[in-house]
Amino acid sequence: MNLRIRQIDDRHRDELFARRTEFLAEPPRADETTSTGRVIFHTVWVHYRDNERFAESVGPRIEHTFDQVMGRTWLVPAGEGDPISVPTPLLMGAVMAAFDTIANESMAAALPVEMVPPAGGPVFPEAA
């Protein structure tokens, strides 16, 4: 059963989609080793008549803390094969690694060439 799909009658159905997903991580404090935060799904109902999309309406805002999802495992489609079982820490780690890579690429692209630190680290000009 998929509760995000509502079959109204033979001609009408509604499907719930996550139009936007937020992954809000709070950096750990000095005495902590892990981040806290929450995952928020901003949803929309898409209404179909005779398999044609004809309207949308605002869906529920679904929010969970990291603690609520941390022990769970998710079945993720893997092409034509069977889905892969992915634990939450691995999924969250992948999202954070993507952020690190994309943020570094974006920040480097936004800086003038002379301000991009060399491979050995930043070089600070001598004080006059």
Side-chain angles (χ1 to χ4, degrees):
M1 179 188 302
N2 190 337
L3 294 178
R4 70 175 193 85
I5 299 175
R6 301 185 299 201
Q7 190 70 41
I8 311 303
D9 58 35
D10 289 345
R11 296 182 55 214
H12 300 90
R13 79 176 188 282
D14 300 335
E15 293 187 23
L16 186 67
F17 289 91
R19 174 156 289 163
R20 188 175 87 230
T21 302
E22 291 182 78
F23 181 79
L24 303 172
E26 296 292 329
R29 295 185 182 133
D31 59 339
E32 297 174 331
T33 58
T34 59
S35 296
T36 59
R38 54 193 190 278
V39 179
I40 303 169
F41 299 98
H42 300 271
T43 67
V44 60
W45 284 107
V46 178
H47 309 286
Y48 293 89
R49 179 186 302 131
D50 297 326
N51 291 324
E52 293 287 327
R53 180 180 179 159
F54 75 92
E56 289 185 5
S57 59
V58 175
R61 180 176 181 261
I62 302 168
E63 180 174 334
H64 288 291
T65 65
F66 285 178
D67 288 341
Q68 289 173 304
V69 298
M70 195 52 73
R72 297 182 69 176
T73 299
W74 315 96
L75 290 177
V76 178
E80 298 298 319
D82 291 332
I84 298 170
S85 181
V86 179
T88 299
L90 180 61
L91 182 61
M92 291 172 68
V95 170
M96 288 180 187
F99 166 73
D100 286 344
T101 300
I102 292 170
N104 284 327
E105 291 169 355
S106 297
M107 298 301 289
L111 291 174
V113 173
E114 63 273 6
M115 292 184 67
V116 176
V123 177
F124 298 99
E126 295 295 323

